[in-house]
Amino acid sequence: MKMKLPMLGLGGSVATPRKGITAEVVIVSNEEELEALGEGARGKIVLFNNPMPPYHPVEGSGYGETVRFRLHGARLASEHGAVGVLVRSVTANSQRTPHTGVMIYGKARRKIPAAAVTIEDAEMIARLIRRGERVKVRLFMEAHREGKVPSANVVAELRGSTLPDEIVVISGHLDSWDVGQGAHDDATGCIMAIESLRLLREAGLRPRRTIRVVLWTNEENGLAGGKSYAKEHADELAQHVAAIESDSGGFDPRGFNLELEDSARHGRAMLQLQELLNLLELEESLKVKSGHSGSDIRPMKAAGVPLLGLKVEGSRYFDYHHTHADTVDKVDPGELNRCVALMAFTAYVLADMPGRLGENW
Amino acid sequence: MKMKLPMLGLGGSVATPRKGITAEVVIVSNEEELEALGEGARGKIVLFNNPMPPYHPVEGSGYGETVRFRLHGARLASEHGAVGVLVRSVTANSQRTPHTGVMIYGKARRKIPAAAVTIEDAEMIARLIRRGERVKVRLFMEAHREGKVPSANVVAELRGSTLPDEIVVISGHLDSWDVGQGAHDDATGCIMAIESLRLLREAGLRPRRTIRVVLWTNEENGLAGGKSYAKEHADELAQHVAAIESDSGGFDPRGFNLELEDSARHGRAMLQLQELLNLLELEESLKVKSGHSGSDIRPMKAAGVPLLGLKVEGSRYFDYHHTHADTVDKVDPGELNRCVALMAFTAYVLADMPGRLGENW
């Protein structure tokens, strides 16, 4: 029986030869099982069939622990002589929806083509193999690199009234993965930043410090926008009182993850920010947590800039992430509005406080 | 901008000409809006963009009120001079998943091609048109009819010990729509019937009456299996004490909808069935409700056969129904097992009671 399965090539993968690659599939759930195959993967297409756990209200999405097969699967399979790799889509929910994303060859000596299959098809292939069938896949991919082109971050400011050289960045990334519309990843982040500035202007609220909207370029594929910003604004970073990013979708807001230096964790400014955010009765308010702010603002960390990542209700984000289904109809206007309100509020507070995080007055 | 949209042809639709149909899209939400267009649909492709309401725990799925556009949209649009019709998929949830199903030209004088688009694409086309864009679609479909071929219901029995000529039918339909695996529609119904019989045999339980498993053919496309059964077994139908069907998926069981003649609604047998089912503490137990048993057993209604349709938790059925996503991984083994247990229990009770529904003893 022949079937055509919906697949998406992984970002960074090489193409197959023009006639495609046809090979038997061997299936593993993790690195240990691949290791145990010994020579069994040679000449084969390896399918990493490791299920992402369902969303957990406390533990979160399980994306972090499962995405490694998408990232490193091709290198691992290639080290064992495989000719191609398939990765079970990194999601807990599917309607036969392949999820793509970036992959990394790293030190692989041979680059083999890599594609994502749906949960449904990974399970079907696993069932067929379990009952003794030989499953052959013909993989055909035309992936290629177009080379680098100039791009730019988009920047706008509401200049501060008395401390215009001190800056609060609010931001999202302008690029998105090639499938879908990038609605939750990360159009909503951009909207939050733009709308915050518009609302503050409309309300005639001009804080002491400058609020700078930055819409990052190239988040998905190298972080060039965030890295360049940190580099080109290096002499200004000491004056960045905070940088905020939203890159987890435009769902109902829960609070912020705050990354900042130990020395800045106390003092009246921090207390006041916490107290003001507490007034909003958000589910998680403000949590100091290293490594969970945002990938585009992270390059400012070394300069000691306090980083805030918006946290939202996360149960549906990875249903749509990097698929054809990340479309604007998935965004609830009420939820997005509450994100905008929180972003505008927080930016204003940070830009208008008597002192900076870590300071007393 | 050109985009390729995922679509599925509707069942029964004619093909497009070989070069496809290219036309501007006009959008309506219902019959009144189509009427109001007057000559505005002539030469156009009509998109019926009527959203199916989200599942409601009491009201149910909203499928019934929305599916009419899929069924009759082509005829309606054709009457207004349209050259093709697109129908928003009849579902409340989507991951860019088109849902297909049968359509009916009825008395249409011109048969125009009909396809389903995803919720996402229907919404996108609606947004584009709302902001004044002209949206053109090229529709290409190769649909055709292969003609009728012989088919058969599959029948098996556990013969009754003392009243073998009295029959309880338990059933599901063997065919499925052409996309996906037909896991919930209706492989689970077939499994319930087969497994019930196997379990009763394994447990050595042989009731007084015969339990007959029937796996119907051609439910999706004309009900030939159900109609032929009622016709060919006409002289046996008076001896059918009940016919049960499951065709709403293999989700957690809730109870049965029972259709039976007024004269049979009382008496000791009915009380006893109700009491025994109550022991199971199902959410809905047994409800007498006309028109909600099962499409394959309905042809037996005229002969007065009591009809039971299994009711299950229905919140997810129309997420998968008639899509590539109706696959076996969507079936929870525990939920299906509870359906099997209920089916076996009910079949046994009906086959082993001292009297038939409507009787006293």
Side-chain angles (χ1 to χ4, degrees), chain B residues 53-68:
Chain B
Y55 181 81
H56 186 282
V58 180
E59 306 290 328
S61 73
Y63 181 78
E65 57 196 282
T66 319
V67 72
R68 69 178 192 273

Side-chain angles (χ1 to χ4, degrees), chain A residues 4 17 33 70 98 105 115 126 130 134 143 149 172 175 184 217 221 232 249 252 257 278 312 341:
Chain A
K4 204 167 174 178
E33 288 190 19
R70 193 192 76 205
Y105 285 115
R130 261 203 308 275
R134 286 184 67 209
V149 292
D175 62 320
H184 277 294
T217 190
N221 190 21
E232 287 172 25
D252 216 41
N257 285 326
N278 287 350
V312 297

Side-chain angles (χ1 to χ4, degrees), chain A residues 282-301:
Chain A
L282 297 162
E283 214 161 283
E284 307 196 19
S285 197
L286 189 67
K287 280 190 181 169
V288 176
K289 205 169 173 184
S290 197
H292 287 81
S293 55
S295 32
D296 300 289
I297 56 178
R298 199 169 303 135
M300 291 185 249
K301 189 173 178 175

Side-chain angles (χ1 to χ4, degrees), chain B residues 70-97:
Chain B
R70 192 191 78 206
L71 291 171
H72 308 297
R75 175 177 56 78
L76 293 169
S78 148
E79 286 168 2
H80 286 76
V83 295
V85 71
L86 299 177
V87 179
R88 177 189 173 116
S89 289
V90 185
T91 184
N93 292 308
S94 179
Q95 289 183 358
R96 201 95 179 262
T97 322

Side-chain angles (χ1 to χ4, degrees), chain B residues 307-329:
Chain B
L307 307 178
L308 290 95
L310 180 69
K311 218 175 160 192
V312 297
E313 199 286 316
S315 63
R316 285 167 292 151
Y317 184 68
F318 288 105
D319 296 357
Y320 309 132
H321 176 254
H322 292 193
T323 73
H324 288 291
D326 184 6
T327 49
V328 69
D329 54 287

Side-chain angles (χ1 to χ4, degrees), chain A residues 7-13 63 67 70-71 87-91 97-103 114-118 141 176-180 185 220 318 320-324:
Chain A
M7 295 190 190
L8 285 173
L10 297 186
S13 172
Y63 181 78
V67 73
R70 193 192 76 205
L71 291 170
V87 179
R88 177 189 173 115
S89 289
V90 185
T91 184
T97 322
H99 290 228
T100 180
V102 77
M103 55 81 66
V117 295
T118 65
M141 288 169 58
S176 70
W177 207 259
D178 65 328
V179 290
D185 184 15
E220 297 290 0
F318 287 106
Y320 309 132
H321 176 255
H322 292 193
T323 72
H324 288 290

Side-chain angles (χ1 to χ4, degrees), chain B residues 212-223:
Chain B
R212 179 180 290 172
V213 165
V214 185
L215 311 181
W216 311 102
T217 190
N218 184 237
E219 190 273 343
E220 298 290 1
N221 191 20
L223 299 172

